Amino acid sequence: EVQLVESGGGLVQPGGSLRLSCAASGFTFSSFSMSWVRQAPGKGLEWVGNINEGGSEKYSGDSVRGRFTISRDNAKNSLDLQMNSLRAEDTAIYYCVRGRWNYVYWGQGTVVTVSS
Amino acid sequence: QSVLTQPPSASGTPGQRVTISCSGSSSNIGSNTVNWYQQLPGTAPKLLIYNTNQRPSGVPDRFSGSKSGTSASLAISGLQSEDEADYYCAAWDDSLNGRGVFGGGTKLTVL
């Protein structure tokens, strides 16, 4: 069974940093691109970015480019999202998702709140 | 302001056919396939349609997708109470080195 479990969410002050992690199991992690999608409270879905199987190619959305970095450790079956210079508008549920774009498998999400 | 435009709400009665539209541009819907996601309250989204008109295993054939030019549609026939949810369209956008874009979502109410 495919499982994606996010962790690392919490409350952080504006301008601060946070690192999210996603533990993957039930599939060959190194064979799949991975992505992050977020959803602000009461709002729609927003694509954060993705990373290819080997970690050499990364793409990110306009609103996070230059502040957020996606990385992966295939030996540990782990996906990370390093978030710097956080803003109030980054407050959201962050989902770890398997795949480059057609997202069948989603994690349960981790909540990030940016507030002073 | 979402890159893809959806109506904020839609409604129908049980058994009815409902369509949800999604409008984009030449850099996204016009040149790439469209996905649709269903999100029930408090849960992660579920892939409903991929590659414009393909259904993942387990999705009833009451759900269908189509595309024409820079617009796409999701049709739900034989509407059921459990179809009440938020629906999102999505497409890859070839501008700015490539990025994924979603619609703002449509809340479907079954009357």
Side-chain angles (χ1 to χ4, degrees):
Chain A
E1 178 193 4
V2 173
Q3 285 198 334
L4 300 168
V5 180
E6 302 93 338
S7 61
L11 175 63
V12 61
Q13 292 189 340
S17 298
L18 205 60
R19 189 176 186 89
L20 306 183
S21 292
C22 171
S25 61
F27 65 100
T28 304
F29 182 72
S30 59
S31 296
F32 290 86
S33 294
M34 296 293 295
S35 303
W36 289 97
V37 175
R38 70 182 182 182
Q39 186 169 32
K43 302 296 184 182
L45 303 173
E46 182 182 8
W47 185 76
V48 174
N50 62 20
I51 185 169
N52 71 344
E53 295 86 336
S56 61
E57 295 179 8
K58 308 173 189 181
Y59 298 91
S60 56
D62 299 341
S63 60
V64 306
R65 193 171 297 133
R67 299 188 299 124
F68 290 12
T69 301
I70 299 175
S71 61
R72 64 190 296 162
D73 186 335
N74 286 342
K76 296 182 178 179
N77 291 345
S78 177
L79 175 74
D80 288 344
L81 179 65
Q82 177 66 43
M83 304 185 295
N84 299 327
S85 303
L86 282 161
R87 308 165 180 166
E89 53 265 36
D90 295 319
T91 294
I93 300 171
Y94 285 74
Y95 293 103
C96 167
V97 195
R98 193 183 84 168
R100 175 183 176 274
W101 184 233
N102 296 344
Y103 300 145
V104 175
Y105 296 101
W106 298 63
Q108 84 289 348
T110 187
V111 177
V112 172
T113 302
V114 184
S115 174
S116 55
Chain B
Q1 189 82 354
S2 302
V3 174
L4 305 181
T5 302
Q6 298 180 236
S9 63
S11 63
T13 55
Q16 200 173 21
R17 183 177 187 270
V18 171
T19 61
I20 297 173
S21 63
C22 176
S23 177
S25 68
S26 58
S27 64
N28 42 67
I29 294 178
S31 51
N32 294 296
T33 60
V34 179
N35 294 343
W36 289 90
Y37 294 88
Q38 177 194 59
Q39 187 177 33
L40 299 171
T43 68
K46 170 188 174 182
L47 182 63
L48 208 58
I49 297 288
Y50 68 99
N51 292 353
T52 301
N53 55 18
Q54 303 298 304
R55 286 184 307 276
S57 174
V59 173
D61 59 7
R62 302 187 296 106
F63 295 90
S64 62
S66 63
K67 184 181 89 165
S68 178
T70 58
S71 294
S73 292
L74 172 71
I76 309 172
S77 61
L79 197 62
Q80 300 179 3
S81 58
E82 55 262 40
D83 298 333
E84 187 161 294
D86 293 324
Y87 292 85
Y88 296 91
C89 60
W92 191 256
D93 192 298
D94 294 329
S95 63
L96 298 174
N97 296 317
R99 55 177 180 161
V101 291
F102 287 93
T106 298
K107 180 169 182 56
L108 174 64
T109 301
V110 180
L111 302 170

